[in-house]
Amino acid sequence: MSSREAYLYEPLGSQPRPKSRWRELMCSPTRWTAVLIIVVLSLSSIALLTLQTTWQWPWKSSSVVPKIFPTTDDISIPHGAEGPAPYPPAPQDAKQLGQTVYHPFVAPLPAQAIADTRVRPIRAQLELSDACLDRWVSSGQWTDPCTRAMVSEAKIDLVYVWVNGSDILHQAARKTLLAELKYRTKDARFREHDELRYSLRAARAATKMWPNSTWHVITADVPNPHVALESREADEEEVDILESLADSISEDDDQEAEEPEPEPENRLGLVPQWLDIECAIHGDETQPPIRLQHDTQLFRLTGSPGTKLTAKDSSEWLERILPSFNSHAIESQLPQLDPELVSENIVALNDDQFMLLPMPPAAFHTTLYGPVLRTDPGLLVGGDATGKADGGGEWRSLGWSDHLLNQRFGSRKRPYMQHNARSLSLPLMHEAALAFGEYFARTPLSQFRGSHKVPEEFEVNTIFLTGHFMVERHREALLYSWVVLKWDGYVEGMWRDLGGKDGETTIKFDDAAERTTRDDVELNLLMAGVVPPKVEDDHEQGDTTYTWTSMDGYSPRFNSLLPSVSLPRSCLERQSDSWSLFRHLLLEDPACGDQVISALIHKQRSGLGAFLPAATASSSDGDDDPETNPDPLTLPLVLTSNPPALPSNPRRFAVRLIQRYAHVLGDSPTLFVGLHSATDTQRNLRMADTTPATALFCMNDDMSNNAATLRAADKILKTWFEGRWPEKLRCEV
Ligand SMILES: *[C@@H]1O[C@H](CO)[C@@H](O)[C@H](O)[C@H]1NC(C)=O
Ligand SMILES: *[C@@H]1O[C@H](CO)[C@@H](O)[C@H](O)[C@H]1NC(C)=O
């Protein structure tokens, strides 16, 4: 399939479970000795490796035993600080080289390749009044004063990541780097079945209801062939090809290429050959504009929070990470998408993912409930810092990402994000990429997926990490609001607030909390003027159920309220001050924190009012005015050992903080199939046809390299595609 090799999909639940083998090993003394020797050897080799690879770059931890999250106190969120040098978008002009059309652009200069470290507000939330948001968060009801502040349907952009693996320049660049790194990719997973064309045609039909959408197609890019000819030894056949391509470049490009250091670098972005890109950048009422961006344009250096990065840092970094043929690396830069070009609500797709039915925007995003994550609660990912899991697929990055979340938010297993169209919040992805800055910067050190296997420098899984970051920041906001802002760590008050009696040591609720949250979704959305995600006829429209919303707090089960609560008083008594208690409940004893949240959820039938501090009387001197006296948007990105300054208006701060991380765990009829052969392809496509409620469909090319099989499968696919989506896109040639 033409999607990057990286979208290899492991069958769910196929992870080996090493537990019992360990137990077996631990029972025999001789094995014990062997294990000890292995442990000592591997520890010393890790130590050696770490020593050897100790660079002084800011995005590289320099200590032998890396402290994942420093608890220094000099980390503040830059407020009003200047952003990095701007990188204006390239005009979308097409350029013909031989038979092929490319999109020429200029790569960012190092000074432009530094991430903007300013945490961003969520614009749609800024438009809501304090009074409305307070009512909404505290009661979970979209009623007066909210009815008047109607929100609109979320503006959602689609973001596709695509490469044409058959492109001759791309193949040449890939081959060169593979030889240089002496690395082998598992398989030529760059096959093209023309999926992008039909995935976009499907999207046009499926997103008719979405207002003001733009489609962004992020494609690979290649060096200008003139530069390629000069800078490396190509084999004869390649030289011929490159020369003939170079010949077709116009005069002025020739002159540019003769300069010793072409700076800034001119590159060519890959273009879907069936698309007139100069036409497609303009949308009309039938179809959103299609904007091309390219991998090399996205890379922005991040460091650990508080680090000041220079153009020299980013220049060294770019030197090591480009070109990139690793989709994890490309995805790690999605948080860096230009917020001037891309909406704050996005749905990310690969070209092998298809929206089969029209779906309302609320199936993906609403201002009330936030982005809709589709997780698989049956497939839990545990933290793993060893890097032993398969690096060619997703599992090494998943284990590493969960490990990072564990260090920051407390240890637990977290559900896998389904491999299909994914709702993401750009400002929150950006915040996550800043919070885990050094790890995002290390991800593209693997220029091919899994190729850089150095401890602490594994790839992050951006979808998993940023999605769960939002869930955890919401939990953090609830605990901070209740422990620090409402009670300032006053144990007696907290105990009574939870329903505890004097002399008792445990609070117990034998049943799940009685909440109306799920039943309220539809009415709330209708009151706000938003089309609900649950549909009348699930053959006409794709149906979505909100299985969990953050309006019910936090659930370690991810899809239901806890069936009971048992909260010992000792959970609250271990710490002397409110910030330490907050840290304790957040990170050190997350089970206690979960019990506290669940107990508070029992206090109301809907809303999160139990977590909020009392409203302060509004002061008349304007101190309370968010314009003149802004509180930060968020809590610090790292968990500091000392508390941040208290907000000027605790309740307003808490309400906005909690709403910032609002999210939904949702479920839609989804089909994921692997295509192994022609008959298999036929059967799987028929399955999609005979389950007419299927809203989201992903087909994964698992076929061998047999030419006859591929031809046959291609024909079947083409027939199916054309049958389903016969109508050309605007600007499709
Ligand atoms: C959305 O599009 C409509 C026309 O289709 C236009 O009137 C409106 O200004 C646009 N809104 C935004 C936020 O771009
Ligand atoms: C992919 O590249 C090949 C070789 O240049 C070309 O023939 C084909 O049309 C390209 N496919 C798309 C969708 O651009």
Side-chain angles (χ1 to χ4, degrees):
M1 194 138 292
S2 71
S3 52
R4 295 160 194 287
E5 57 165 344
Y7 293 115
L8 301 185
Y9 181 77
E10 262 78 359
L12 302 189
S14 68
Q15 265 306 78
R17 308 267 147 111
K19 250 189 205 146
S20 56
R21 298 216 55 203
W22 267 107
R23 203 165 294 141
E24 200 181 286
L25 267 178
M26 291 326 211
C27 290
S28 134
T30 43
R31 283 174 184 164
W32 253 107
T33 325
V35 166
L36 246 164
I37 291 171
I38 291 169
V39 166
V40 169
L41 279 179
S42 48
L43 276 181
S44 47
S45 62
I46 287 174
L48 262 175
L49 251 175
T50 317
L51 278 173
Q52 275 171 10
T53 53
T54 299
W55 290 289
Q56 292 311 306
W57 302 343
W59 45 278
K60 173 76 184 70
S61 81
S62 54
S63 51
V64 174
V65 182
K67 263 210 207 108
I68 298 250
F69 290 98
T71 47
T72 52
D73 287 312
D74 57 349
I75 292 162
S76 51
I77 296 163
H79 217 54
E82 259 183 58
Y87 173 67
Q92 195 151 305
D93 301 329
K95 176 170 196 128
Q96 179 112 13
L97 255 77
Q99 296 297 304
T100 314
V101 171
Y102 293 93
H103 175 211
F105 69 94
V106 175
L109 294 166
Q112 296 170 316
I114 299 174
D116 190 344
T117 55
R118 293 170 298 180
V119 172
R120 293 181 201 136
I122 294 176
R123 286 179 215 159
Q125 293 179 3
L126 289 182
E127 283 164 23
L128 297 173
S129 69
D130 285 340
C132 165
L133 259 191
D134 192 302
R135 167 61 56 87
W136 170 238
V137 172
S138 61
S139 72
Q141 311 288 329
W142 196 263
T143 50
D144 188 57
C146 283
T147 32
R148 275 177 277 121
M150 298 271 264
V151 298
S152 42
E153 295 283 359
K155 176 183 175 318
I156 308 173
D157 284 3
L158 296 186
V159 176
Y160 277 87
V161 179
W162 178 78
V163 61
N164 181 356
S166 313
D167 180 90
I168 201 119
L169 294 179
H170 188 260
Q171 281 184 346
R174 219 162 79 214
K175 229 166 99 182
T176 309
L177 186 64
L178 278 174
E180 217 172 87
L181 298 178
K182 298 190 172 59
Y183 190 71
R184 290 165 70 96
T185 42
K186 252 188 189 166
D187 192 8
R189 292 239 169 209
F190 292 86
R191 267 198 301 254
E192 167 77 22
H193 302 291
D194 215 9
E195 297 96 328
L196 180 66
R197 182 203 305 257
Y198 296 99
S199 183
L200 288 172
R201 285 192 192 178
R204 178 181 53 187
T207 65
K208 279 232 159 73
M209 283 178 263
W210 300 14
N212 303 79
S213 184
T214 300
W215 296 349
H216 306 269
V217 181
I218 297 166
T219 81
D221 52 82
V222 292
N224 181 310
H226 282 285
V227 181
L229 269 178
E230 281 163 20
S231 65
R232 62 185 194 82
E233 294 171 27
D235 63 34
E236 257 178 57
E237 190 188 332
E238 265 179 71
V239 170
D240 283 349
I241 293 164
L242 293 175
E243 266 170 357
S244 71
L245 287 172
D247 281 345
S248 64
I249 298 183
S250 64
E251 290 288 303
D252 46 315
D253 282 335
D254 258 326
Q255 279 158 16
E256 264 176 42
E258 270 159 27
E259 281 166 26
E261 283 273 16
E263 183 143 17
E265 193 191 353
N266 290 297
R267 294 186 65 86
L268 302 173
L270 265 52
V271 167
Q273 296 301 308
W274 45 262
L275 185 69
D276 176 348
I277 61 169
E278 291 177 14
C279 159
I281 188 90
H282 310 285
D284 69 6
E285 60 288 345
T286 67
Q287 189 188 307
I290 303 178
R291 177 183 285 279
L292 295 189
Q293 301 194 52
H294 308 292
D295 297 350
T296 298
Q297 296 182 297
L298 298 189
F299 284 89
R300 298 287 181 281
L301 178 60
T302 48
S304 51
T307 327
K308 187 111 189 71
L309 299 166
T310 64
K312 188 163 170 291
D313 298 325
S314 60
S315 165
E316 284 174 345
W317 180 68
L318 292 170
E319 192 75 21
R320 285 198 69 195
I321 61 159
L322 292 177
S324 190
F325 299 94
N326 174 2
S327 74
H328 280 167
I330 312 300
E331 281 178 2
S332 77
Q333 301 305 310
L334 292 182
Q336 308 301 336
L337 284 169
D338 184 347
E340 297 299 317
L341 298 182
V342 184
S343 168
E344 58 189 8
N345 308 305
I346 62 175
V347 170
L349 297 113
N350 308 335
D351 64 351
D352 56 0
Q353 299 173 343
F354 300 82
M355 298 165 72
L356 297 187
L357 290 171
M359 296 171 89
F364 295 92
H365 289 274
T366 63
T367 304
L368 276 65
Y369 290 100
V372 182
L373 306 180
R374 290 177 172 82
T375 62
D376 186 342
L379 180 63
L380 295 175
V381 176
D384 179 8
T386 68
K388 279 199 293 249
D390 178 17
E394 283 197 292
W395 282 97
R396 187 186 295 159
S397 71
L398 287 169
W400 177 240
S401 301
D402 194 60
H403 171 74
L404 293 176
L405 288 162
N406 286 348
Q407 309 302 304
R408 175 63 179 78
F409 295 108
S411 287
R412 66 176 81 238
K413 290 185 171 177
R414 298 177 172 86
Y416 180 80
M417 301 283 171
Q418 284 179 20
H419 192 85
N420 235 313
R422 283 143 162 173
S423 315
L424 301 161
S425 157
L426 202 49
L428 297 186
M429 289 181 93
H430 178 250
E431 184 183 322
L434 296 178
F436 295 92
E438 66 268 55
Y439 304 101
F440 274 82
R442 293 173 194 175
T443 295
L445 290 175
S446 290
Q447 287 170 283
F448 290 93
R449 188 183 279 201
S451 65
H452 183 82
K453 195 182 174 185
V454 174
E456 302 290 318
E457 297 185 354
F458 306 126
E459 294 146 52
V460 298
N461 191 295
T462 301
I463 308 284
F464 181 85
L465 182 56
T466 62
H468 283 294
F469 175 83
M470 170 171 64
V471 175
E472 295 293 346
R473 284 286 255 184
H474 187 264
R475 180 176 177 275
E476 181 185 70
L478 293 175
L479 289 170
Y480 177 77
S481 176
W482 187 71
V483 174
V484 179
L485 297 181
K486 183 171 185 185
W487 287 109
D488 191 19
Y490 172 51
V491 175
E492 214 38 63
M494 289 188 286
W495 186 246
R496 266 182 257 127
D497 193 6
L498 289 164
K501 307 257 162 33
D502 290 347
E504 283 179 358
T505 55
T506 311
I507 291 168
K508 272 190 185 300
F509 295 97
D510 292 328
D511 300 318
E514 271 179 42
R515 301 278 292 185
T516 61
T517 307
R518 279 186 54 179
D519 299 334
D520 295 341
V521 168
E522 182 154 336
L523 184 59
N524 280 330
L525 289 176
L526 289 173
M527 292 291 282
V530 171
V531 176
K534 192 122 202 76
V535 301
E536 294 272 306
D537 179 350
D538 68 2
H539 293 191
E540 286 294 314
Q541 296 195 340
D543 188 46
T544 303
T545 306
Y546 287 4
T547 53
W548 173 265
T549 88
S550 57
M551 214 30 116
D552 275 333
Y554 179 87
S555 165
R557 305 180 154 215
F558 298 102
N559 59 359
S560 60
L561 293 159
L562 289 188
S564 62
V565 171
S566 175
L567 172 65
R569 187 170 161 126
S570 58
C571 271
L572 304 175
E573 282 179 333
R574 302 242 173 81
Q575 306 295 329
S576 52
D577 65 287
S578 65
W579 183 254
S580 305
L581 176 60
F582 156 70
R583 285 178 48 113
H584 181 76
L585 296 175
L586 179 82
L587 174 67
E588 289 143 22
D589 193 344
C592 269
D594 295 348
Q595 293 293 317
V596 166
I597 292 173
S598 294
L600 286 168
I601 285 294
H602 274 80
K603 296 191 55 167
Q604 284 172 266
R605 288 173 63 81
S606 68
L608 298 168
F611 294 85
L612 298 172
T616 40
S618 198
S619 53
S620 50
D621 55 11
D623 232 27
D624 220 22
D625 182 356
E627 297 287 324
T628 57
N629 192 10
D631 286 322
L633 289 171
T634 63
L635 291 171
L637 294 174
V638 298
L639 193 58
T640 54
S641 51
N642 288 334
L646 286 177
S648 64
N649 181 334
R651 185 167 171 111
R652 183 182 68 212
F653 176 77
V655 162
R656 293 222 171 246
L657 187 69
I658 290 168
Q659 183 65 17
R660 178 173 174 82
Y661 303 105
H663 61 270
V664 176
L665 305 185
D667 197 20
S668 299
T670 298
L671 187 60
F672 180 95
V673 298
L675 311 180
H676 299 93
S677 65
T679 38
D680 202 32
T681 301
Q682 186 77 273
R683 194 181 54 239
N684 281 319
L685 296 178
R686 197 171 305 135
M687 188 144 65
D689 291 335
T690 54
T691 52
T694 304
L696 302 173
F697 180 51
C698 179
M699 53 168 88
N700 210 56
D701 178 356
D702 290 330
M703 284 178 276
S704 67
N705 243 336
N706 181 311
T709 303
L710 291 174
R711 255 197 320 275
D714 254 344
K715 216 168 138 195
I716 293 165
L717 278 169
K718 184 92 190 170
T719 308
W720 188 74
F721 284 151
E722 278 295 334
R724 275 215 171 227
W725 302 289
E727 201 184 318
K728 279 189 176 184
L729 293 165
R730 249 189 92 245
C731 311
E732 184 178 328
V733 290

